[in-house]
Amino acid sequence: MTGAGTFGYEPNPAVLTELRGLRDRIPQLTGTLVASGDGLLIAHALPPNIEPTGMAALAASLLALSYRMGTTAHGGGFREVVVHGTAGYVVVYAASWTALTVLAGPEVNVGRLHLESRPVAGAIADHLAAATKDLRNNEAPNTD
């Protein structure tokens, strides 16, 4: 598993565990990625032919566009978007302020993909929220 985080930081181990588990449960996955809503790479397990930071930016763009489409059309929040291409699927799942992007081959069972990926997106959101809270709690107080 690759997984370089942003700015040279190590990716969250719990997020990487979630990505590994998802790939173990769905062998037709060809890659996974977690990116922030503004396109910063958080963690990934992508094949070598896909550049992670570029894919993170694309995922964030698709997330923003899909959110806008959903709120304009139905007034509700965004959950996921499925891109079905001739060579497979790209699915972006909302995960709080981040997005889980899953790449799968054309033979994947999309129902099972959703069944497995939706809870992983929620778990990733929880792990990152806890990590963010821990970072805030460990910051030195401003004495200026």
Side-chain angles (χ1 to χ4, degrees):
M1 163 106 27
T2 54
T6 58
F7 305 114
Y9 296 128
E10 287 299 312
N12 182 301
V15 171
L16 289 176
T17 298
E18 294 290 346
L19 296 180
R20 282 187 197 107
L22 184 59
R23 292 199 58 176
D24 289 346
R25 292 187 304 276
I26 305 176
Q28 297 82 11
L29 290 188
T30 57
T32 55
L33 175 132
V34 178
S36 68
D38 56 0
L40 294 176
L41 178 64
I42 294 172
H44 74 89
L46 293 172
N49 64 317
I50 298 177
E51 201 279 314
T53 57
M55 184 59 111
L58 287 170
S61 296
L62 185 57
L63 177 68
L65 183 60
S66 299
Y67 175 81
R68 180 65 186 234
M69 178 73 78
T71 57
T72 300
H74 299 289
F78 169 77
R79 291 195 180 174
E80 64 203 36
V81 63
V82 177
V83 177
H84 182 192
T86 57
Y89 294 86
V90 178
V91 186
V92 177
Y93 298 92
S96 182
W97 54 274
T98 67
L100 167 64
T101 301
V102 177
L103 311 177
E107 69 284 352
V108 73
N109 178 320
V110 177
R112 178 149 185 247
L113 181 68
H114 290 324
L115 185 68
E116 297 285 351
S117 299
R118 288 171 181 154
V120 169
I124 287 170
D126 292 344
H127 293 310
L128 293 174
T132 302
K133 182 179 178 187
D134 289 346
L135 283 174
R136 275 187 257 149
N137 289 340
N138 291 328
E139 287 180 350
N142 187 353
T143 58
D144 291 337

